[in-house]
Amino acid sequence: MTFDATDRKILMLLQQDSTRTTKELSLKLNLSVTAVYERVKKLEREGVVDRYVAVLNQKKVNRAFVVFCHLKLTQHAKEYLTHFEQEVVRLDEVIECYHVSGDYDYILKIFVADMEEYREFMVTKLTTLKHIGSTHSTFMISEVKNTNVITL
Amino acid sequence: MTFDATDRKILMLLQQDSTRTTKELSLKLNLSVTAVYERVKKLEREGVVDRYVAVLNQKKVNRAFVVFCHLKLTQHAKEYLTHFEQEVVRLDEVIECYHVSGDYDYILKIFVADMEEYREFMVTKLTTLKHIGSTHSTFMISEVKNTNVITL
DNA sequence: TCTGAAACATGCCAGGA
DNA sequence: TCCTGGCATGTTTCAGA
């Protein structure tokens, strides 16, 4: 799929702030409201824009303790992978989970309130899953960059 | 900061889909439009809702090759850290960067088109930064879970 | 794919319980 | 904190180029 300069600008602007109105975009782009409207609808229809979401402030909702958990399974039969994946998606604390190459099988990004809550999560939720070989937790010290915008 | 059940529901619904109108929310919550409107505005004013954004489909914009890069600096003097952090935020391919505990100093999440583009990124951008000790790249095989919603 | 206009829905504010 | 009502604004559709 290919985009012209106008589409790229629209996508940049909406990735930064999706509350911008069609009118606002039309002014920035020197186009009519309808022209912008139809481009945006097209991008939505084609699935280039997947969804619009509200991003919460992690501190304000008390989930600023971020942990990266590298995890290995005991075996790699397909049923083991599938079972683990089915279970892990159901854990609310797990914001992201990727099957990856290398020494570990999965990388998880976990949001909790503090170390105590993380301990609780590990003991009562994560390590109760079947076929978990080993885990290695890496704690976030500070967030250097965390954006949702993909520059086109 | 503490939230009642209504606030939590509003935050859940807007995290999933921020195009929901106040009217739509009011129906789901059995409240008047204005009551919902004022709660949402309060959550925005207090900074609980940080921002509203468009989420793009990585495949459709040709950035579905995801790499986690674990990175160590040669030294840990404050000026070295600061310099690295200032530079890394300017790299468009780096979507997230965290200063972390453990064997490595930083974990980066990188979006590119393919391996070739990743190689190009490493050679011409990342490893040209000063004070980089070592890097270790982990490639995403599949995305098991990737959500923005924080369950309250 | 664009412009301009008209119809419709929602956002947003006032006044009050 | 909630409600009802109303005006301003933006969204959406349509005709025409």
Side-chain angles (χ1 to χ4, degrees):
Chain A
M1 204 164 295
T2 174
F3 309 102
D4 66 10
T6 306
D7 282 338
R8 281 199 295 272
K9 275 183 198 158
I10 290 174
L11 291 171
M12 283 299 284
L13 291 165
L14 290 180
Q15 282 187 99
Q16 289 158 359
D17 180 1
S18 61
T19 65
R20 291 194 227 258
T21 62
T22 317
K23 192 180 180 184
E24 208 175 327
L25 295 177
S26 71
L27 291 172
K28 280 189 202 287
L29 300 167
N30 289 325
L31 274 178
S32 74
V33 171
T34 314
V36 174
Y37 176 77
E38 286 183 342
R39 276 172 179 268
V40 172
K41 287 300 155 194
K42 183 160 179 268
L43 291 165
E44 291 171 358
R45 209 178 330 115
E46 288 171 338
V48 177
V49 175
D50 185 61
R51 59 192 198 277
Y52 296 95
V53 306
V55 177
L56 305 192
N57 181 316
Q58 290 176 41
K59 283 182 192 139
K60 295 280 168 75
V61 296
N62 198 29
R63 297 291 151 84
F65 195 80
V66 179
V67 186
F68 296 92
C69 184
H70 296 67
L71 188 149
K72 212 183 296 193
L73 297 187
T74 51
Q75 294 183 52
H76 300 84
K78 185 166 187 186
E79 53 188 294
Y80 285 24
L81 295 174
T82 313
H83 177 264
F84 169 76
E85 295 183 5
Q86 275 174 1
E87 293 298 316
V88 82
V89 296
R90 295 164 55 186
L91 302 177
D92 290 336
E93 294 87 348
V94 177
I95 301 299
E96 298 174 39
C97 174
Y98 302 96
H99 184 195
V100 295
S101 68
D103 297 338
Y104 288 92
D105 296 319
Y106 294 97
I107 294 183
L108 282 65
K109 184 159 85 175
I110 295 153
F111 285 180
V112 286
D114 50 35
M115 184 61 91
E116 194 177 347
E117 205 176 294
Y118 184 63
R119 182 183 172 281
E120 191 64 16
F121 165 77
M122 288 298 278
V123 174
T124 69
K125 295 189 180 175
L126 193 63
T127 59
T128 64
L129 298 185
K130 288 177 192 163
H131 320 306
I132 300 232
S134 63
T135 64
H136 182 262
S137 299
T138 301
F139 301 99
M140 184 193 77
I141 295 169
S142 73
E143 184 180 286
V144 177
K145 180 175 188 178
N146 182 9
T147 183
N148 59 291
V149 350
I150 297 174
T151 304
L152 299 176
Chain B
M1 205 163 294
T2 174
F3 309 102
D4 66 10
T6 306
D7 282 339
R8 281 198 296 271
K9 276 183 199 157
I10 290 174
L11 291 172
M12 284 298 285
L13 292 166
L14 290 179
Q15 282 186 99
Q16 289 158 359
D17 181 1
S18 62
T19 65
R20 291 193 226 258
T21 62
T22 318
K23 190 181 180 184
E24 209 175 326
L25 295 177
S26 71
L27 290 172
K28 280 189 201 287
L29 300 168
N30 289 325
L31 274 176
S32 75
V33 171
T34 315
V36 173
Y37 176 77
E38 284 180 347
R39 275 172 180 267
V40 172
K41 287 301 154 195
K42 182 160 178 270
L43 291 166
E44 292 171 358
R45 210 178 330 114
E46 288 171 338
V48 177
V49 175
D50 186 60
R51 61 192 195 277
Y52 295 96
V53 307
V55 178
L56 304 191
N57 180 315
Q58 289 176 41
K59 284 182 191 138
K60 296 279 169 75
V61 296
N62 198 28
R63 296 294 150 82
F65 194 81
V66 180
V67 186
F68 296 92
C69 183
H70 296 68
L71 188 151
K72 212 183 293 195
L73 297 187
T74 52
Q75 293 183 53
H76 300 85
K78 185 167 186 184
E79 54 188 294
Y80 285 23
L81 295 175
T82 313
H83 176 265
F84 169 76
E85 295 183 4
Q86 276 173 1
E87 293 298 318
V88 83
V89 297
R90 295 165 54 187
L91 303 176
D92 290 336
E93 294 87 347
V94 177
I95 301 298
E96 298 175 39
C97 174
Y98 302 95
H99 185 195
V100 295
S101 69
D103 297 338
Y104 287 92
D105 296 318
Y106 294 96
I107 294 182
L108 282 64
K109 184 159 85 176
I110 296 153
F111 285 179
V112 285
D114 49 34
M115 184 62 93
E116 194 178 346
E117 204 176 296
Y118 183 63
R119 182 182 173 282
E120 190 65 17
F121 166 77
M122 287 299 278
V123 174
T124 68
K125 296 189 179 176
L126 192 63
T127 58
T128 65
L129 299 185
K130 288 179 193 163
H131 318 308
I132 301 234
S134 63
T135 64
H136 183 263
S137 299
T138 302
F139 300 98
M140 185 193 78
I141 296 169
S142 74
E143 185 180 285
V144 178
K145 181 175 186 177
N146 182 9
T147 183
N148 59 292
V149 349
I150 297 174
T151 305
L152 297 176

